């Protein structure tokens, strides 16, 4: 019995020695009591100087120099290309569309002249010694008849005056197919005019948007076969929208 008890004591002593040795060299587990919660401040990943604060990682470093240069060049090229494409599309599309709309607009007004109208000249029985000029818009755009016609019979060296009292309140405007008119007093009914002669040719010139400016191509409407007699009383009206207004003077 003593030998068995002694053997048990020796075994217990050996186990205690092994446990003590494990605690001292760090391989054992030491009971420190109840555990404490870990501090969030101590465990949170903090960005180090030179790192990306949003990710907590340091940006890639260019160790060769070529990679960084290539990346920068690519970025500039990409940005430039993007800018060029955006600018080109905006300017090209906007400008082209605007110009085309202006060119195609049927409301664009131009000057009436010999290139876009048909002009006729005919004598009338009433009023006496009068002639009627008719201008018809043969173009595709609305045109303006400004001021008064500038007449020249044959090779005459003077310009007939316009009767101021016939000036309309607005410019005579002709839509495609419409006509405008002007009356011409050829000679004085009482014979008071001088320098009378018979003309065989008539040239009608048009004015621009300022008085006495060039309005474009002239017209040469045919005269009656017997010609037209005129004297120093020769006077014209302003262009009128209505034929009656042209002949009421």
């Amino acid at each position: 019995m003593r030998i068995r008890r002694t053997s048990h004591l020796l075994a217990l002593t050996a186990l205690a020695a092994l446990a003590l040795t494990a605690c001292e060299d760090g391989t054992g587990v030491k009971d420190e009591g109840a555990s404490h919660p870990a501090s969030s401040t101590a465990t949170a990943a903090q960005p180090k100087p030179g790192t990306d604060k949003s990710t907590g990682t340091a940006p890639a470093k260019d160790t060769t120099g070529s990679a960084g240069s290539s990346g920068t060049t690519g970025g500039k090229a990409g940005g430039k290309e993007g800018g060029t494409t955006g600018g080109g599309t905006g300017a090209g599309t906007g400008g082209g569309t605007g110009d085309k709309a202006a060119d195609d607009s049927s409301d664009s007004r131009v000057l009436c002249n010999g290139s876009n109208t048909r002009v006729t000249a005919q004598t009338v029985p009433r009023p006496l010694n009068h002639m009627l000029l008719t201008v018809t818009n043969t173009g595709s755009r609305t045109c303006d008849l400004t001021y008064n016609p500038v007449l020249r019979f044959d090779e005459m060296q003077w310009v007939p005056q316009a009767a101021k009292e016939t000036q309309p309140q607005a410019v005579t405007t002709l839509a495609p197919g419409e006509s405008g008119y002007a009356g011409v007093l050829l000679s004085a009914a009482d014979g008071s005019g001088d320098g009378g002669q018979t003309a065989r040719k008539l040239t009608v010139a048009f004015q621009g948007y300022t008085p006495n400016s060039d309005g474009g191509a002239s017209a040469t409407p045919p005269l009656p076969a017997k010609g037209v007699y005129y004297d120093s009383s020769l006077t014209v009206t302003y262009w009128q929208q209505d034929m009656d207004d042209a002949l009421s003077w």
Side-chain angles (χ1 to χ4, degrees), residues 27 47 49 104-105 112 114 118 120 124 129-130 138 161 206 211 244:
T27 59
D104 292 345
S105 174
C112 300
R118 180 180 67 254
T120 62
V124 293
N129 301 338
H130 273 66
T138 58
Q161 296 298 306
F206 298 84
D244 290 340

Side-chain angles (χ1 to χ4, degrees), residues 69-183:
S69 300
S70 176
T72 302
T73 303
K76 289 183 179 178
K80 183 177 181 181
E81 182 180 356
T84 303
T85 302
T89 301
T93 303
T97 302
D99 292 344
K100 188 176 187 301
D103 291 341
D104 292 345
S105 174
S106 60
D107 294 332
S108 300
R109 289 167 59 171
V110 296
L111 287 167
C112 300
N113 55 43
S115 68
N116 56 13
T117 62
R118 180 180 67 254
V119 182
T120 62
Q122 62 184 90
T123 56
V124 293
R126 294 285 185 275
L128 190 64
N129 301 338
H130 273 66
M131 183 174 70
L132 177 68
L133 294 177
T134 303
V135 176
T136 303
N137 183 356
T138 58
S140 60
R141 293 183 176 182
T142 298
C143 69
D144 292 332
L145 279 171
T146 57
Y147 305 105
N148 57 276
V150 179
L151 305 185
R152 184 184 183 188
F153 284 111
D154 293 333
E155 302 301 323
M156 62 187 293
Q157 300 300 310
W158 55 283
V159 177
Q161 296 298 306
K164 293 294 294 182
E165 62 269 28
T166 65
Q167 183 173 1
Q169 294 183 348
V171 174
T172 297
T173 299
L174 306 180
E178 288 186 339
S179 298
Y181 309 90

Side-chain angles (χ1 to χ4, degrees), residues 172-197:
T172 297
T173 299
L174 306 180
E178 288 186 339
S179 298
Y181 309 90
V184 182
L185 171 62
L186 294 170
S187 59
D190 58 4
S192 59
D194 55 16
Q197 55 186 299

Side-chain angles (χ1 to χ4, degrees), residues 188-213:
D190 58 4
S192 59
D194 55 16
Q197 55 186 299
T198 299
R200 305 293 180 181
K201 177 184 178 181
L202 172 63
T203 299
V204 180
F206 298 84
Q207 300 187 60
Y209 287 108
T210 56
N212 303 316
S213 62

